Protein backbone atom coordinates (compact mmCIF):
# COMPACT_ATOMS: atom_id res chain seq x y z
CA UNK A 1 0.00 0.00 0.00
CA UNK A 2 1.52 3.30 -1.10
CA UNK A 3 1.64 6.49 0.91
CA UNK A 4 -0.95 8.21 -1.31
CA UNK A 5 -3.36 5.32 -0.73
CA UNK A 6 -2.83 5.67 3.03
CA UNK A 7 -3.57 9.38 2.77
CA UNK A 8 -6.79 8.75 0.81
CA UNK A 9 -7.89 6.11 3.35
CA UNK A 10 -7.22 8.45 6.28
CA UNK A 11 -9.00 11.32 4.52
CA UNK A 12 -12.13 9.29 3.85
CA UNK A 13 -12.24 8.20 7.49
CA UNK A 14 -11.86 11.77 8.76
CA UNK A 15 -14.28 13.23 6.19
CA UNK A 16 -16.86 10.59 7.16
CA UNK A 17 -16.41 11.16 10.90
CA UNK A 18 -15.99 14.95 11.01
CA UNK A 19 -17.21 16.17 7.64
CA UNK A 20 -15.10 17.65 4.88
CA UNK A 21 -15.16 21.24 6.18
CA UNK A 22 -14.33 20.18 9.73
CA UNK A 23 -11.23 18.25 8.70
CA UNK A 24 -8.03 20.20 8.25
CA UNK A 25 -4.80 19.18 6.59
CA UNK A 26 -3.29 19.31 10.08
CA UNK A 27 -5.89 16.74 11.24
CA UNK A 28 -4.94 14.55 8.32
CA UNK A 29 -1.23 14.89 9.05
CA UNK A 30 -1.82 14.08 12.72
CA UNK A 31 -3.81 10.96 11.82
CA UNK A 32 -0.95 9.75 9.64
CA UNK A 33 1.91 10.88 11.88
CA UNK A 34 3.10 13.25 9.14
CA UNK A 35 3.88 16.92 9.03
CA UNK A 36 1.19 18.85 7.20
CA UNK A 37 3.72 20.08 4.67
CA UNK A 38 4.84 16.52 3.92
CA UNK A 39 1.33 15.66 2.75
CA UNK A 40 1.76 17.98 -0.21
CA UNK A 41 4.54 15.78 -1.57
CA UNK A 42 1.76 13.18 -2.21
CA UNK A 43 -1.35 15.27 -2.86
CA UNK A 44 -2.16 18.67 -4.29
CA UNK A 45 -4.96 19.69 -1.92
CA UNK A 46 -7.75 18.57 0.36
CA UNK A 47 -10.14 19.11 -2.57
CA UNK A 48 -8.12 16.62 -4.62
CA UNK A 49 -8.68 13.98 -1.93
CA UNK A 50 -12.43 14.61 -1.84
CA UNK A 51 -12.63 14.39 -5.63
CA UNK A 52 -10.75 11.08 -5.69
CA UNK A 53 -12.89 9.51 -2.94
CA UNK A 54 -16.18 10.61 -4.49
CA UNK A 55 -15.20 9.61 -8.05
CA UNK A 56 -14.18 6.11 -6.94
CA UNK A 57 -17.45 5.57 -5.09
CA UNK A 58 -19.51 6.94 -7.99
CA UNK A 59 -17.81 4.51 -10.38
CA UNK A 60 -18.62 1.58 -8.10
CA UNK A 61 -22.30 2.48 -7.91
CA UNK A 62 -22.72 3.21 -11.63
CA UNK A 63 -20.71 0.37 -13.18
CA UNK A 64 -22.48 -2.34 -11.22
CA UNK A 65 -25.91 -0.89 -11.90
CA UNK A 66 -25.24 -0.57 -15.62
CA UNK A 67 -24.41 -4.28 -15.74
CA UNK A 68 -27.53 -5.24 -13.77
CA UNK A 69 -29.91 -3.16 -15.89
CA UNK A 70 -28.38 -4.55 -19.10
CA UNK A 71 -29.01 -8.18 -18.05
CA UNK A 72 -31.82 -10.10 -19.72
CA UNK A 73 -33.22 -11.41 -16.44
CA UNK A 74 -36.73 -10.61 -15.24
CA UNK A 75 -37.11 -7.26 -13.53
CA UNK A 76 -37.68 -8.70 -10.01
CA UNK A 77 -34.37 -10.57 -10.21
CA UNK A 78 -32.61 -7.44 -11.43
CA UNK A 79 -34.22 -5.33 -8.71
CA UNK A 80 -32.99 -7.73 -6.04
CA UNK A 81 -29.52 -7.65 -7.63
CA UNK A 82 -29.64 -3.85 -7.77
CA UNK A 83 -30.48 -3.58 -4.08
CA UNK A 84 -27.76 -6.07 -3.19
CA UNK A 85 -25.27 -4.12 -5.28
CA UNK A 86 -26.22 -0.77 -3.77
CA UNK A 87 -26.10 -2.04 -0.19
CA UNK A 88 -22.83 -3.87 -0.89
CA UNK A 89 -21.17 -0.69 -2.21
CA UNK A 90 -22.41 1.21 0.86
CA UNK A 91 -21.34 -1.45 3.37
CA UNK A 92 -18.06 -2.60 1.80
CA UNK A 93 -16.54 0.78 2.57
CA UNK A 94 -18.71 2.66 5.01
CA UNK A 95 -16.42 5.71 5.15
CA UNK A 96 -16.07 6.18 1.38
CA UNK A 97 -19.78 5.73 0.80
CA UNK A 98 -20.58 8.20 3.56
CA UNK A 99 -18.28 10.76 1.95
CA UNK A 100 -19.88 10.10 -1.45
CA UNK A 101 -23.43 10.36 -0.14
CA UNK A 102 -23.05 13.30 2.25
CA UNK A 103 -19.93 15.31 1.37
CA UNK A 104 -20.07 15.40 -2.45
CA UNK A 105 -21.69 18.84 -2.43
CA UNK A 106 -18.40 20.29 -1.20
CA UNK A 107 -16.62 19.30 -4.40
CA UNK A 108 -15.16 22.02 -6.60
CA UNK A 109 -17.74 23.11 -9.23
CA UNK A 110 -16.37 21.12 -12.19
CA UNK A 111 -16.07 17.90 -10.19
CA UNK A 112 -19.49 18.49 -8.58
CA UNK A 113 -21.08 18.77 -12.03
CA UNK A 114 -19.38 15.55 -13.15
CA UNK A 115 -20.56 13.68 -10.05
CA UNK A 116 -24.07 15.12 -10.33
CA UNK A 117 -24.23 13.76 -13.88
CA UNK A 118 -23.15 10.33 -12.60
CA UNK A 119 -25.74 10.46 -9.80
CA UNK A 120 -28.43 11.45 -12.31
CA UNK A 121 -27.39 8.58 -14.58
CA UNK A 122 -27.47 6.16 -11.65
CA UNK A 123 -30.96 7.27 -10.65
CA UNK A 124 -32.10 7.01 -14.28
CA UNK A 125 -30.95 3.39 -14.32
CA UNK A 126 -33.14 2.71 -11.28
CA UNK A 127 -36.12 4.42 -12.92
CA UNK A 128 -35.55 2.38 -16.07
CA UNK A 129 -35.49 -0.86 -14.12
CA UNK A 130 -38.68 0.04 -12.26
CA UNK A 131 -40.40 1.08 -15.50
CA UNK A 132 -39.38 -2.15 -17.23
CA UNK A 133 -40.75 -4.15 -14.29
CA UNK A 134 -44.04 -2.33 -14.62
CA UNK A 135 -44.15 -3.09 -18.34
CA UNK A 136 -43.49 -6.77 -17.56
CA UNK A 137 -46.38 -6.75 -15.09
CA UNK A 138 -44.07 -7.51 -12.17
CA UNK A 139 -45.36 -4.57 -10.13
CA UNK A 140 -47.38 -1.42 -10.24
CA UNK A 141 -45.27 1.70 -9.85
CA UNK A 142 -47.20 4.83 -10.83
CA UNK A 143 -44.16 7.06 -10.17
CA UNK A 144 -40.82 5.32 -10.93
CA UNK A 145 -38.85 8.44 -9.94
CA UNK A 146 -40.41 8.55 -6.48
CA UNK A 147 -40.00 4.80 -6.04
CA UNK A 148 -36.34 5.00 -7.08
CA UNK A 149 -35.78 7.84 -4.60
CA UNK A 150 -37.48 5.78 -1.89
CA UNK A 151 -35.34 2.68 -2.53
CA UNK A 152 -32.11 4.65 -2.82
CA UNK A 153 -32.87 6.58 0.36
CA UNK A 154 -33.33 3.34 2.28
CA UNK A 155 -30.16 1.89 0.74
CA UNK A 156 -28.15 5.03 1.44
CA UNK A 157 -29.23 5.17 5.07
CA UNK A 158 -27.98 1.61 5.66
CA UNK A 159 -24.49 3.09 5.92
CA UNK A 160 -25.52 5.06 9.00
CA UNK A 161 -26.50 2.04 11.09
CA UNK A 162 -25.01 -1.07 9.47
CA UNK A 163 -22.22 -2.85 11.33
CA UNK A 164 -20.22 -5.62 9.61
CA UNK A 165 -20.40 -7.79 12.74
CA UNK A 166 -24.13 -7.20 13.19
CA UNK A 167 -27.01 -9.65 13.12
CA UNK A 168 -27.56 -9.49 9.34
CA UNK A 169 -25.09 -9.56 6.47
CA UNK A 170 -25.22 -6.81 3.87
CA UNK A 171 -26.91 -9.22 1.45
CA UNK A 172 -29.54 -10.14 4.05
CA UNK A 173 -30.23 -6.45 4.66
CA UNK A 174 -30.67 -5.88 0.91
CA UNK A 175 -32.98 -8.89 0.64
CA UNK A 176 -35.12 -7.59 3.51
CA UNK A 177 -35.38 -4.20 1.80
CA UNK A 178 -36.37 -6.00 -1.41
CA UNK A 179 -39.10 -7.99 0.36
CA UNK A 180 -40.50 -4.92 2.12
CA UNK A 181 -40.43 -2.86 -1.06
CA UNK A 182 -41.91 -5.46 -3.38
CA UNK A 183 -44.67 -6.34 -0.97
CA UNK A 184 -45.54 -2.67 -0.93
CA UNK A 185 -45.46 -2.22 -4.69
CA UNK A 186 -47.24 -5.44 -5.65
CA UNK A 187 -50.34 -4.94 -3.51
CA UNK A 188 -52.80 -2.38 -4.77
CA UNK A 189 -53.98 -0.37 -1.80
CA UNK A 190 -55.67 2.97 -1.66
CA UNK A 191 -53.66 5.62 0.12
CA UNK A 192 -55.74 7.46 2.71
CA UNK A 193 -56.39 11.01 1.61
Amino acid sequence: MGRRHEIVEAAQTLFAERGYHHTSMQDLGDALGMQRGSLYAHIGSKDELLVEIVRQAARQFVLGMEQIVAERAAAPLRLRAALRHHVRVVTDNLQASSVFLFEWRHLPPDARLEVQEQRDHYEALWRRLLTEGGAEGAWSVPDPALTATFLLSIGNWVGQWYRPNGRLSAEQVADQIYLMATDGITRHQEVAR
Side-chain angles (χ1 to χ4, degrees), residues 87-108:
V87 170
R88 190 177 325 107
V89 172
V90 169
T91 60
D92 278 355
N93 194 334
L94 293 167
Q95 291 84 19
S97 62
S98 178
V99 173
F100 172 76
L101 294 168
F102 303 108
E103 300 298 319
W104 74 275
R105 288 180 178 86
H106 304 299
L107 289 166

Side-chain angles (χ1 to χ4, degrees), residues 19-93:
Y20 174 74
H21 282 306
H22 292 96
T23 301
S24 68
M25 291 299 281
Q26 185 64 54
D27 295 331
L28 187 55
D30 291 347
L32 292 162
M34 295 175 69
Q35 294 294 324
R36 187 177 76 175
S38 300
L39 291 170
Y40 292 107
H42 304 281
I43 60 162
S45 66
K46 189 171 84 163
D47 279 355
E48 181 182 307
L49 291 170
L50 181 62
V51 168
E52 185 171 333
I53 293 164
V54 171
R55 278 183 179 154
Q56 286 175 2
R59 272 193 298 274
Q60 287 182 308
F61 281 110
V62 170
L63 290 176
M65 190 64 179
E66 285 176 338
Q67 292 171 356
I68 291 164
V69 170
E71 291 175 4
R72 295 190 183 267
L77 295 174
R78 290 184 292 148
L79 180 59
R80 182 185 295 260
L83 285 164
R84 285 179 175 179
H85 167 70
H86 188 86
V87 170
R88 190 177 325 107
V89 172
V90 169
T91 60
D92 278 355
N93 194 334

Side-chain angles (χ1 to χ4, degrees), residues 6 8 35 51 55 63 70 74 127 129 139 153 167 178 183:
E6 291 174 5
V8 171
Q35 294 294 324
V51 168
R55 278 183 179 154
L63 290 176
R127 290 190 304 273
L129 176 55
W139 47 64
S153 296
R167 185 173 59 84
Y178 172 82
D183 184 50

